[in-house]
Structures are given as C-alpha cells and as structure tokens.
Amino acid sequence: MSSTEAQHGDEIVRVENVVKDFRSGFGLRKKRVLHGISFSVRQGEIFGFVGPNGAGKTTTLKILMGLIRSSGGSASILGHDVRETAFRKHIGFLPENPSFYDFLTGREILTFYAKLSGVSGSQRAERVATLLKWVGLTQAADSRLRTYSKGMLQRVGIAQALVHEPSVVFLDEPMSGLDPIGRVEIRDLILRLRAEGKTVFMNTHILPDVEMVCDRVAIIVQGCIRYQGDTQELLVEGERETELVAAGLSAHSVVDLEERFAARLRGLGDRIELRFAEKNTDEMIRAVLDSGGRVVSVAPQRASLESLFLSAVENAEAPESGSALTGMGEVE
Amino acid sequence: MIAARRILAIAMNTWREAVRNKLLYTLLFFALLLIAVSVFVATLSYVERERILQDIGIAAIRLFGVAIAVFVGVGLIHREVDRRTVYTILSKPLSRTEFLIGKYVGLVFTVWMQMGVMIVAFAGVSLAMDAPLGAVHAAAFALTGVELALMVAVATLFSAFTTPMLASYFSVGVWVVGHLTRNLRDLGAASDSGAVAAITAAIHRVLPDLEAFNLSTEAAHGLAVTASDVLLPVAYGAGYAVILLVIATLIFERRDFR
Ligand SMILES: Nc1ncnc2c1ncn2[C@@H]1O[C@H](COP(=O)(O)OP(=O)(O)OP(=O)(O)O)[C@@H](O)[C@H]1O
Ligand SMILES: [Mg+2]
C-alpha cells in the first residue's frame, strides 16, 4: 500500500481481540464495553485513537496501562504483556483529567515520579527543571499543586509522562483544559517527540488536532474499531465535499435543500453555509438559484475527518450499512 | 534494592501526606490531654498514685495509637484510588505490591512517630511524679508498637478493597474482638459443649490475639518480664502482619481502577 507503511518498523503496541466487561450490582450484571478490539501502533508514529464520548477510549488505555484487566484477548507494549511492570520505565502516561498529591509542589511531584521511574539521583534535578521549562511551569514550580489551575495540572501531567525519557508515550485527551496557546505548545511538543523518534498514542475527539499531527488513526465507536489506517489515505479516499455560501434564501427553501442534498448547515448572519457531497455541486447551485437565492461562493473541500467520523458513528447505529466505510482504505 | 528505593519513595510520601491529616493532630491532642489529666487523677488518690498515673498513661497511648493507626490508615489507599493519584503512580515501573508495602511502611512510621510523642509525654509526667521508669516500660511500649503495626496491616487490608467507613468499622471490630479472644477461648473451654470450645478456640486462632501485646499491668506494677515475654509476641505480630499484607496484596493486584 502506501510508502509510509514500509518506512515504519516494529509494532510497539499490539492489541488483539481485547474484550472488557464491567460488572456491577455485586458482579451480577455485566456490561460489555469493548467488543474484541484489535489494532497496532508502529515505531515512531503518532497514533490517534478517536471516538465519541463513551466509546471506550479511556477503557482501552487503562487496559494498556495495567490499571484495569481485560476480560479477554491480549495486549502488549514493546513485546511485554501489559500486566508486567518493569518495562514501564520505557513508557509515559497522561491520564484523563490527571490528579496528583496536591500538598506537593510541581518540582516535588516531578522529582517523586522521576524517583519512581528510576531516574538516577544525579540527573533528577536537571531533568525535572528541563520538563518544567518544556511545559511552561518554571514560574509555578515551587508552589503547591493545590494552587494550580486545571490547565497547569494538565501540564504537570504531561511533564510527569515524559520525565523519565520514555520511548512510548500514551496521552488521554492531551489538549483538554488547555488554552489556545497551550494547545499549540503541546501540539509542538508532541511533534517534537516524534522527531526524537518516540512513539505517541493519543486518545482524543478533537479532530483537527488528529488531522494535523496523527500519522495513523483508529476510530472506535461503541467499543468496536470502525476504521484503522493512514490519516492521509483516509482523508484522500474519503468522500469529497463542497462548501457553498448562499444568501437570500427563505427558511423554507433552506430546509428543502438540506433534505434534498443531505447537506450540513451553518448560519452566517444573513448568509448560509452548506456542505454537501462534491458530486452534487452543479445541481445544488442550480437549486439555490431556482429558489431565488444568490451564490456567494463555492469552494471544494477535502473530506474532513469530521465527516468520516460522523458517518462512522452513524453507521455504527445502523450496522447494516457499515461496510461502505470499513471497506474503504482499511489497512489491516 | 531498586524495589526498596521505590517502596521508600512511596513510604516517604505517605508520611508527608499523613502528617497533614488534621484528624491525626486531633487524636494526638486528646491523647496528650488524657496523659495530662492522669496527673490530676493520680493526685486525688492517697494510694498507688504512680500506678494510677501509669495505668491511665499507658491506656491513653494504646487507645489513641490504635485510633490513629485505624482512622488514618483506612483512608490512605482508598483516597489514592478515589482521587486517581494511582493512575500515574502505577503507570511507572512500580508493582502494585511495592505500592501497597510503601503505603504500609509509611503509615507504620507515622504511627510510631506519634507514639514516640506520646511516650515522651508519658515519661515526662512519670518523672515529674517520681513514678518508676524502666525496662518493663520499654518492653510494654515495644509490644504496643508491634500491636499498632499489626493494626495498620488490618486497616490496610480492609482499605485495599472497601470504603474507609466500612474499613474502619471492620478494623475497630477486629481490635475489640482481638482483645477478647483469649477470654472467649477460656470461657469456651470451660463450657460443657465441645462444639463451643472448638469454635471459640478457632476464633482465637484465626483472629489476632491482641492481649499477647499487653504488658501494661506488668509495666504499671513494675513486674519483671523475660526476653521471651517480648520476643514471642514480636514474632507473632510480625508473622501475622505479613500474612495480612500478603492477602491485601493479592486483593489489590486483582483490582480494577476505574
Ligand atoms: N467504572 C465503570 N463502570 C461501568 N461502566 C463504565 C465504567 N467506566 C466506564 N464505563 C463505561 O464504559 C464505556 C466507555 O467508557 P470510556 O471512559 O472508555 O469512554 P471514552 O471513549 O474514554 O469517552 P470520553 O470521550 O467521554 O472520555 C462507557 O459506556 C462508560 O459508561
Ligand atoms: Mg475518555
């Protein structure tokens, strides 16, 4: 297939048929959250694990981190079963909404994690100072974490995931809680990790971030992997769309157009933005003019991850029609 | 060796956290208050002033020592899970067993430090009242220290799988019954029913026999104790604590943190 595949080396993370049941009511009731998922992450790539709320992203990551045990299947990182502990000195983990001992300062907590990860005493102070600088916490380094804001805690979380120079990094919603500047900084940090040859696995539902940084993605919906493959291929092979901005349309005709072309709408003051399949462009222009509207602009759109994501979710709700997406660009 | 360093890192942090616990200072305050009050109570008496003084003092240390061990102990592991601090800690190259042992060691250290403060107060009032202080007191406190370490293991075991509330009920229950099992066994042995005798003997064997650590009568009366009076209970307490920690570890290793 694509040349990017050949360049990537070993499988760093391997998940095979992993099933997870959560038990409740004294273990009598069972809820299946992961339905036998399989995917792999390769050396040196940024892998995006994408899915709607409640899809099972965090659950999968917790299984990889050994925090919960899978009910079936196997998962390994760097060739080690995830239940082992010693290999964890090579991995870093940022949990969702991280929380720390809040009676310690930023510097103390990072030193603590460095100690646990086996960073030698002579390198510890320097490594901690470097990380504090990377995540922009040098100023706050000696205040208690209790006084930190949400975004600052997120930064501490990222710093502790990297303090021992791991070769694989797992991030659960790395951008959450960060301001726009923070997002750019963290995105650059993630790209820098790749440049250093590290492998990054990230859970997210912020699709523009995925498009921008991820080499490969897996889309998980309701505990099933719906797509797995190269981000660029996914976007190229996906259905192309057109964005048309129109003015002077009556509310009635807008609804009519929306239905006829399965268009997505966005109001822009007195104008209206319509997004629809590229093949319908001519017909749509004609329809807008026929309804007495004006065409302000027409622009071709690359298929966005968003539209693929939405159709993956829709297909999951109507499983019969799921083949169109899963057949497309599938790598494994 | 490396495991020891990680356990130590967890233990030191546990201690730092525990000494920020307000409950700890409240309990310590009342213990010291009771020791101070023992002076007053003793002066009211014409006879056996020193014995009354030391009876109350030793009781205060044992009672509040257990209260600190249980009420600070039950929350420590639960809080780590509840506040999700375990997520990052256990993603490091640290086994759950090392984590649990680190918490235990840190807590025992905390409890012993508090006990040290109470013993200093006890020694202070004893000296002030001209009450004797000797090897038997040291032996009594050493065994109390072992009892507290055992109670921390009890609290740790319960807190490995249940809420602080339930864990404290269970732990206090174990402590109360643990001090009665000897009497219970003797009562059972004296009964006509063989079944009752067997059951009470079984309870005595399974639950910790905490009276084994009680040298307070000997201490308050200045009676002599032999080396085996101390060493046997130490071995018993250590062995019992290890068994409890092994069970706690087995439970903790299987838990889902969700
Ligand atoms: N402790 C739990 N007990 C029972 N069910 C749970 C538990 N934790 C999660 N679930 C269920 O498992 C499913 C997956 O949850 P998970 O947290 O993995 O989703 P997610 O993809 O990370 O979502 P989000 O984007 O909101 O973080 C959800 O349906 C959730 O209700
Ligand atoms: Mg999640």
Side-chain angles (χ1 to χ4, degrees):
Chain A
M1 280 182 120
S2 74
S3 59
T4 45
E5 268 192 87
Q7 286 161 10
H8 288 302
D10 303 323
E11 286 182 345
I12 297 295
V13 180
R14 197 183 175 87
V15 172
E16 274 175 283
N17 288 317
V18 165
V19 173
K20 179 64 190 175
D21 297 322
F22 278 128
R23 294 180 176 279
S24 58
F26 299 101
L28 295 175
R29 249 174 309 145
K30 198 165 85 166
K31 177 174 151 197
R32 181 149 293 190
V33 170
L34 296 177
H35 300 262
I37 62 168
S38 304
F39 63 86
S40 56
V41 180
R42 297 167 194 159
Q43 163 66 40
E45 72 183 1
I46 302 179
F47 185 89
F49 198 50
V50 188
N53 291 131
K57 303 183 293 295
T58 299
T59 305
T60 306
L61 195 42
K62 280 189 185 169
I63 289 173
L64 287 172
M65 295 301 106
L67 294 170
I68 60 181
R69 311 295 189 202
S70 63
S71 318
S74 69
S76 62
I77 300 173
L78 297 166
H80 296 271
D81 187 291
V82 293
R83 281 167 296 196
E84 294 173 33
T85 48
F87 79 90
R88 293 188 187 283
K89 64 172 178 285
H90 302 298
I91 69 172
F93 172 48
L94 166 73
E96 196 172 30
N97 305 320
S99 136
F100 307 99
Y101 295 127
D102 59 6
F103 54 86
L104 298 181
T105 67
R107 197 186 303 281
E108 286 168 344
I109 196 89
L110 290 183
T111 307
F112 169 67
Y113 285 113
K115 227 186 263 179
L116 287 185
S117 313
V119 178
S120 71
S122 55
Q123 294 171 14
R124 231 176 271 147
E126 194 193 322
R127 186 71 195 150
V128 167
T130 307
L131 259 304
L132 285 166
K133 204 172 96 203
W134 277 14
V135 299
L137 286 176
T138 307
Q139 296 278 312
D142 297 307
S143 339
R144 296 260 161 95
L145 295 188
R146 183 168 303 142
T147 66
Y148 278 31
S149 72
K150 185 168 174 242
M152 289 162 84
L153 288 174
Q154 184 76 4
R155 289 157 189 262
V156 173
I158 291 164
Q160 64 77 31
L162 302 176
V163 74
H164 49 303
E165 299 192 76
S167 60
V168 195
V169 183
F170 295 84
L171 309 169
D172 199 345
E173 314 273 0
M175 311 293 186
S176 112
L178 296 177
D179 59 30
I181 299 165
R183 278 171 190 239
V184 174
E185 282 171 5
I186 298 308
R187 205 168 60 212
D188 290 348
L189 188 61
I190 292 172
L191 291 170
R192 180 153 103 212
L193 292 175
R194 179 174 60 187
E196 288 172 4
K198 304 191 177 204
T199 307
V200 180
F201 175 103
M202 63 187 242
N203 273 359
T204 182
H205 38 222
I206 303 177
L207 300 171
D209 287 342
V210 176
E211 283 188 35
M212 228 172 292
V213 305
C214 293
D215 301 305
R216 287 201 315 135
V217 293
I219 299 179
I220 179 172
V221 183
Q222 293 177 8
C224 301
I225 302 277
R226 293 284 157 182
Y227 173 83
Q228 177 180 188
D230 197 284
T231 315
Q232 292 313 315
E233 264 174 44
L234 175 66
L235 297 177
V236 170
E237 291 183 21
E239 206 177 354
R240 288 173 181 278
E241 292 198 326
T242 299
E243 181 194 284
L244 180 145
V245 179
L249 286 172
S250 70
H252 175 78
S253 44
V254 168
V255 173
D256 183 51
L257 291 173
E258 183 188 4
E259 279 175 9
R260 245 171 82 197
F261 297 99
R264 296 201 306 286
L265 292 181
R266 201 154 65 105
L268 300 168
D270 56 344
R271 296 171 177 187
I272 193 99
E273 182 191 293
L274 295 143
R275 263 170 175 265
F276 50 91
E278 190 186 37
K279 61 180 190 286
N280 294 332
T281 310
D282 291 348
E283 240 182 297
M284 174 65 101
I285 294 174
R286 216 167 290 136
V288 169
L289 296 173
D290 288 349
S291 336
R294 259 181 322 111
V295 174
V296 179
S297 71
V298 182
Q301 296 291 309
R302 206 177 52 155
S304 70
L305 191 55
E306 182 176 272
S307 58
L308 290 171
F309 181 81
L310 292 175
S311 65
V313 175
E314 272 165 28
N315 288 340
E317 279 155 13
E320 297 310 307
S321 58
S323 55
L325 185 85
T326 44
M328 178 193 66
E330 202 164 35
V331 174
E332 250 64 30
Chain B
M1 191 60 220
I2 295 166
R5 197 168 57 191
R6 290 190 294 264
I7 289 172
L8 197 66
I10 297 287
M12 273 165 53
N13 227 52
T14 304
W15 182 69
R16 288 179 87 160
E17 183 181 7
V19 294
R20 282 175 173 77
N21 192 328
K22 291 203 183 66
L23 182 63
L24 187 113
Y25 293 102
T26 315
L27 290 170
L28 191 60
F29 170 77
F30 281 108
L32 296 178
L33 191 70
L34 191 55
I35 292 172
V37 166
S38 71
V39 177
F40 174 70
V41 174
T43 52
L44 294 180
S45 168
Y46 291 104
V47 291
E48 296 195 303
R49 278 189 180 174
E50 297 86 355
R51 191 186 62 74
I52 292 172
L53 177 85
Q54 296 200 333
D55 263 345
I56 297 176
I58 293 171
I61 291 173
R62 296 177 63 215
L63 203 66
F64 284 96
V66 163
I68 290 170
V70 169
F71 292 109
V72 179
V74 290
L76 276 187
I77 287 179
H78 186 267
R79 193 154 51 230
E80 297 264 358
V81 178
D82 204 42
R83 291 198 191 153
R84 295 177 287 109
T85 45
V86 279
Y87 290 8
T88 42
I89 291 172
L90 293 181
S91 74
K92 302 294 183 223
L94 166 93
S95 72
R96 293 187 184 189
T97 302
E98 287 166 358
F99 175 75
L100 197 88
I101 294 173
K103 298 299 289 182
Y104 175 75
V105 169
L107 197 55
V108 168
F109 183 70
T110 309
V111 170
W112 282 353
M113 292 295 281
Q114 306 308 311
M115 204 180 126
V117 173
M118 296 189 278
I119 290 173
V120 168
F122 174 86
V125 298
S126 293
L127 287 177
M129 298 285 288
D130 271 338
L133 275 179
V136 64
H137 294 90
F141 290 133
L143 287 192
T144 303
V146 176
E147 179 182 353
L148 295 186
L150 178 54
M151 283 311 297
V152 173
V154 170
T156 304
L157 169 60
F158 288 128
S159 77
F161 66 90
T162 184
T163 61
M165 185 73 117
L166 284 178
S168 52
Y169 290 159
F170 290 151
S171 304
V172 170
V174 166
W175 185 70
V176 170
V177 178
H179 276 287
L180 297 175
T181 53
R182 238 178 224 200
N183 294 339
L184 213 60
R185 178 199 55 185
D186 295 345
L187 279 176
S191 91
D192 298 333
S193 157
V196 171
I199 291 168
T200 52
I203 291 174
H204 175 257
R205 198 154 304 148
V206 173
L207 289 179
D209 179 2
L210 298 178
E211 279 299 310
F213 307 108
N214 188 356
L215 288 181
S216 56
T217 317
E218 286 81 350
H221 289 91
L223 305 176
V225 288
T226 63
S228 67
D229 287 340
V230 178
L231 294 181
L232 286 179
V234 168
Y236 171 71
Y240 207 108
V242 167
I243 291 171
L244 291 180
L245 288 176
V246 168
I247 298 171
T249 314
L250 291 176
I251 294 171
F252 198 63
E253 283 285 346
R254 271 160 189 72
R255 267 191 73 170
D256 268 0
F257 299 114
R258 48 185 172 133

